[in-house]
Amino acid sequence: MSALHLDLMQGALAERGGPVTATALEPFAEPGACLARLGRAARLAAGERAHDPTEPAPAGATAAQKGE
């Protein structure tokens, strides 16, 4: 379930196009709360869009391009 939540956070942040992405999610880091770790988002070239985690990665994509 945490992987799904992490993907949702990453997708929402990427859609906004800001400088931040979610890099990790620690489930139940505190009683009743998870801890999201944030980091700098990779910059995209003009006209390029972020990878949608619901779509398969293009053939020959690197791990970073696949979102791993």
Side-chain angles (χ1 to χ4, degrees):
M1 187 58 113
S2 293
L4 173 64
H5 291 145
L6 179 60
D7 284 346
L8 288 171
M9 286 190 293
Q10 290 171 333
L13 291 167
E15 188 69 28
R16 299 283 300 160
V20 177
T21 188
T23 59
L25 182 62
E26 294 180 34
F28 306 109
E30 297 180 11
C34 298
L35 176 64
R37 299 211 180 266
L38 304 177
R40 290 185 187 262
R43 295 208 174 240
L44 300 175
E48 188 178 13
R49 67 180 184 92
H51 170 67
D52 181 346
T54 64
E55 298 174 359
T62 66
Q65 291 168 324
K66 292 178 185 176
E68 296 174 358

